[in-house]
Amino acid sequence: MRLGNVKIRQLWPCLIVMTLGLSTTSDETHASAPEYLLDEQPVSSSVEDEPAPMEQAYAVERRLSPVFPRLKERLGKASPFWRDTQLNLHPRVYYFDRSRENAANSEALAYGGWLDWNSGLWRDRLQLNATLFTTQRAYGPEEKDGTLLLKEGQNGFTVLGEANVELKFREDISAKLYRQSFNLPYLNRNDSRMVPNTFDAYTLVKQPLNNWPFVVAHVRQMKRRERDDFISMSEAAGFEGTDEPLTMAAVRYDFTDDINIGATSQYAWEFMNTFYSEFNGLWRFDGDWALRLGGQFTDQRSVGDEIGGDFDTYVYGGKVAASHRGATLTLAFSSTDDGASIRNPYGGYPGYLSLMIQSFNRADEDAWLVGASYDFAEIGLPGLSSFVNYAQGDTPDSGSNASPDQRELDITVDYRFQSEALKGLWPRARAAFVDQDNDVNGAGDVEDIRVILNYDLPIL
């Protein structure tokens, strides 16, 4: 039996892992979230905890207890600037192997991660933040370049990816100046390799304490995940010799704790404007049942000098997900206009059909997805979870938008260590298989194997 050119026997390693989990198998599991969010944490055990793109934009990171509590205690009598200092180490090891039917293969093993420092508040108003990222090659043949774990040529690098001053105007409103990260639709970390995207920007943020959270930013430059330098936003989009920024605004409104709408508009100067909106609704029922409905829409069109060409397109999608006692089933669809494919040069695509390899947002593409996840804590195996996504997209067989119909199967297994000594250690195994019909030029099957070891280690 085959999934395209991928024989079922090639799936055995992943299927065996999942079977072992079922017979012997995090605190969080979201099988239907976009890929750029799935890369940052395991799936949630219920749709009640499953963040949507505009909800995750304002999420506050949860911290573990520091590994040196006595050192933290010694700072207890210092000024708030030093007393409330946080120092976190995030080691990561990543193995990536991509096999392509009609193109060169990519393979590498890298190690590194990042060290982030956040000061306490000085006079209740000013905070300093910095993050040093590194990725180094452990294995990587030069003829198998292109994993994006390392720089071009399979070279490691180290970069000060974040360095900013944060000004607190009140508890829920602050400004952040210089190098920083975002987790917005189309403008985000896209932390799917060794180090994430970061940006040089000037930002005003209101947290969702009293409703109407928003973000307003002028973004000058971007450090892509596979580079150690900051380049203009237009150059990051692929236009060499240009120096154009991006200006954006995002807002969310919460009708209740469980129902909200959100939108963002991102104006990439002389290139394009991207408008994105979403709806999220959650309903709880007796017997630990929960239902989440979602809808999203993107309008994207060229602006100004149209350095990326003249285009005008849109995509819309919907999702329904139900969970019960650790199990979640998701159905989703999307439909892209025939004007052009959707572009996302500044981060991960926020669509419900954003998977490990494909995003199913090509011009004139209609696609659907079915996903399932399970948190094995429900059967006495806390920390172990897994999810599977399958999507299929159809496009025209002839004309200007002709492209191969495609299918993708993704399998992920996560484990979060529960012991106090190893809390924060998160191994992850992933596999993705893309099958494209060979009756259209440019078709080619792809197979990904990824093994990642993450560790969150709060020093202070």
Side-chain angles (χ1 to χ4, degrees):
M1 181 178 176
R2 294 174 178 260
L3 176 70
N5 282 351
V6 180
K7 297 180 180 178
I8 281 293
R9 63 180 175 81
Q10 294 175 292
L11 300 178
W12 278 121
C14 298
L15 296 176
I16 288 172
V17 172
M18 292 188 66
T19 304
L20 287 173
L22 285 165
S23 60
T24 67
T25 199
S26 78
D27 16 4
E28 297 197 48
T29 328
H30 26 278
S32 59
E35 181 64 20
Y36 78 90
L37 295 179
L38 283 173
D39 285 310
E40 297 193 342
Q41 57 187 353
V43 292
S44 42
S45 59
S46 168
V47 295
E48 298 180 55
D49 304 316
E50 180 181 294
M54 291 299 294
E55 294 174 337
Q56 190 68 9
Y58 307 94
V60 178
E61 184 179 353
R62 293 180 297 176
R63 280 179 50 80
L64 301 173
S65 301
V67 295
F68 298 112
R70 291 185 180 180
L71 181 57
K72 188 70 173 176
E73 290 173 6
R74 290 182 181 180
L75 295 172
K77 295 182 180 180
S79 66
F81 184 87
W82 297 109
R83 181 194 65 205
D84 299 330
T85 287
Q86 297 178 357
L87 185 65
N88 302 287
L89 181 63
H90 301 265
R92 173 174 290 174
V93 178
Y94 203 129
Y95 174 73
F96 183 101
D97 183 8
R98 173 169 291 177
S99 301
R100 302 176 179 88
E101 185 177 24
N102 297 321
N105 298 333
S106 300
E107 184 180 15
L109 173 65
Y111 63 92
W114 60 92
L115 179 69
D116 65 68
W117 171 74
N118 312 104
S119 76
L121 287 174
W122 179 70
R123 296 190 175 182
D124 295 326
R125 285 288 181 266
L126 185 145
Q127 183 176 11
L128 302 180
N129 308 289
T131 307
L132 183 70
F133 297 94
T134 187
T135 176
Q136 303 299 324
R137 179 173 68 173
Y139 169 77
E142 291 187 12
E143 67 274 13
K144 291 189 175 183
D145 199 2
T147 63
L148 305 182
L149 297 181
L150 303 156
K151 279 201 305 186
E152 186 177 355
Q154 300 278 46
N155 295 310
F157 63 86
T158 300
V159 58
L160 186 63
E162 296 183 349
N164 60 73
V165 176
E166 189 169 355
L167 302 173
K168 299 276 189 180
F169 300 112
R170 67 184 202 192
E171 184 181 6
D172 59 339
I173 297 180
S174 62
K176 190 175 286 189
L177 314 175
Y178 200 40
R179 296 180 177 180
Q180 57 193 276
S181 63
F182 295 96
N183 233 6
L184 290 158
Y186 294 100
L187 184 72
N188 51 66
R189 293 162 51 88
N190 198 14
D191 188 19
S192 59
R193 296 296 192 271
M194 276 297 295
V195 300
N197 298 328
T198 56
F199 305 87
D200 178 355
Y202 308 96
T203 306
L204 181 69
V205 179
K206 180 184 180 297
Q207 296 293 338
L209 293 183
N210 301 301
N211 224 332
W212 289 107
F214 64 78
V215 179
V216 178
H218 183 70
V219 189
R220 295 178 58 251
Q221 295 183 319
M222 174 181 182
K223 185 207 73 64
R224 300 186 65 84
R225 53 190 173 166
E226 76 280 9
R227 297 182 60 148
D228 61 354
D229 58 339
F230 282 77
I231 55 179
S232 72
M233 297 300 285
S234 55
E235 188 175 351
F239 307 110
E240 297 291 335
T242 60
D243 190 24
E244 302 297 340
L246 178 145
T247 303
M248 59 79 57
V251 66
R252 193 183 83 214
Y253 181 73
D254 301 328
F255 295 98
T256 68
D257 289 342
D258 298 328
I259 300 177
N260 63 69
I261 57 174
T264 177
S265 183
Q266 300 170 8
Y267 189 89
W269 292 73
E270 312 302 345
F271 175 28
M272 68 176 181
N273 185 79
T274 300
F275 173 81
Y276 169 85
S277 60
E278 71 178 33
F279 162 81
N280 302 291
L282 172 69
W283 290 267
R284 299 175 178 85
F285 304 95
D286 293 338
D288 197 32
W289 285 94
L291 177 71
R292 178 181 279 268
L293 299 179
Q296 52 186 200
F297 173 79
T298 294
D299 177 273
Q300 197 170 75
R301 59 189 63 204
S302 55
V303 297
D305 290 342
E306 297 181 329
I307 58 177
D310 180 11
F311 64 93
D312 182 352
T313 190
Y314 63 83
V315 61
Y316 62 87
K319 179 189 75 171
V320 56
S323 63
H324 178 65
R325 296 182 179 176
T328 299
L329 177 66
T330 300
L331 301 174
F333 78 93
S334 70
S335 182
T336 306
D337 181 46
D338 60 5
S341 299
I342 296 295
R343 310 186 190 193
N344 54 294
Y346 309 124
Y349 171 60
Y352 300 134
L353 274 76
S354 170
L355 298 188
M356 288 174 61
I357 300 176
Q358 302 293 354
S359 294
F360 296 90
N361 57 6
R362 298 170 298 171
D364 210 6
E365 182 168 27
D366 295 318
W368 57 268
L369 171 145
V370 58
S373 68
Y374 190 68
D375 182 348
F376 292 92
E378 293 292 328
I379 58 172
L381 295 164
L384 190 62
S385 60
S386 65
F387 65 91
V388 177
N389 284 321
Y390 176 82
Q392 179 170 318
D394 299 322
T395 54
D397 294 330
S398 61
S400 59
N401 290 326
S403 55
D405 294 342
Q406 60 184 1
R407 292 153 290 280
E408 179 171 344
L409 172 67
D410 293 356
I411 305 170
T412 300
V413 178
D414 291 305
Y415 184 72
R416 287 276 202 179
F417 281 85
Q418 302 298 296
S419 69
E420 198 61 39
L422 294 176
K423 211 153 201 176
L425 185 59
W426 169 27
R428 160 173 274 200
R430 313 194 73 185
F433 307 91
V434 171
D435 170 26
Q436 294 189 332
D437 291 345
N438 293 320
D439 55 352
V440 177
N441 289 336
D445 297 347
V446 184
E447 178 181 317
D448 265 21
I449 300 297
R450 309 181 192 183
V451 180
I452 311 115
L453 183 64
N454 294 291
Y455 199 4
D456 293 328
L457 195 62
I459 299 172
L460 290 176

